[in-house]
Amino acid sequence: MTPLVTVMLFCQDAWALQTHGGMEGVVVHQAAHVQYLGALGYLLWDIRRSGFAGVGWRYLQWFCWMMMIWNGIAFIGHFAQMGLSDTAISTDDGYLSALLLPETFGRWVYYVTAFDHLFITPALILLFLAMRSLYRAVAAEQAEDRR
């Protein structure tokens, strides 16, 4: 419990906001989303093609779907953000207190896509469940072989 209490008592700003310098940074970032989407699509296709059975493989397939949706949402959100003016988002009291009133369609799209954590968080939980399930299946198989 000590690490948890320490983190809760002494936490500060994480400075997790990633900015991109110039247009080339955004292009590379968007290309990375497309590449990651393609890699997840290939992984999903390969799992289905191989006919792997078991709950761990189903969790992994759901992880792929959720991350593909997240990539699409993030991709659209980055385009929407590029269309906003510098004054569209007020961060006077820090990043976590950002104020954006969705008055226009572009702002509304950016606002909605900012909730991408509703997809990435369950996706990472599914990845954990898949890894745990696959590990337990291998461990049970090895224990059975030792007998």
Side-chain angles (χ1 to χ4, degrees):
M1 291 299 290
T2 302
L4 181 62
V5 171
T6 302
V7 168
M8 288 174 32
L9 291 177
F10 299 107
C11 65
Q12 295 179 0
D13 291 339
W15 301 105
L17 177 62
Q18 180 182 6
T19 59
H20 301 288
M23 194 62 185
E24 64 276 357
V26 174
V27 170
V28 170
H29 188 89
Q30 292 288 72
H33 276 294
V34 172
Q35 185 178 13
Y36 190 31
L37 183 77
L40 288 165
Y42 176 77
L43 177 61
L44 179 63
W45 172 80
D46 198 38
I47 292 169
R48 290 173 163 258
R49 179 185 61 88
S50 301
F52 293 129
V55 70
W57 294 106
R58 279 192 299 257
Y59 284 142
L60 191 58
Q61 289 179 45
W62 276 104
F63 161 77
C64 288
W65 280 115
M66 295 292 282
M67 287 302 289
M68 289 167 62
I69 292 169
W70 172 80
N71 266 293
I73 290 171
F75 189 83
I76 292 167
H78 293 324
F79 270 123
Q81 184 179 12
M82 289 187 320
L84 296 177
S85 68
D86 292 340
T87 61
I89 303 171
S90 172
T91 57
D92 294 337
D93 295 327
Y95 177 71
L96 294 177
S97 65
L99 175 64
L100 171 78
L101 299 175
E103 302 164 346
T104 64
F105 181 72
R107 285 184 177 192
W108 182 84
V109 170
Y110 175 73
Y111 183 79
V112 169
T113 58
F115 290 101
D116 60 345
H117 59 280
L118 297 176
F119 288 93
I120 197 168
T121 304
L124 293 175
I125 292 169
L126 287 167
L127 178 61
F128 167 76
L129 293 173
M131 292 171 58
R132 185 178 68 176
S133 177
L134 293 171
Y135 172 78
R136 287 181 176 172
V138 169
E141 187 176 304
Q142 287 176 348
E144 187 176 303
D145 288 345
R146 285 188 212 133
R147 290 183 189 170

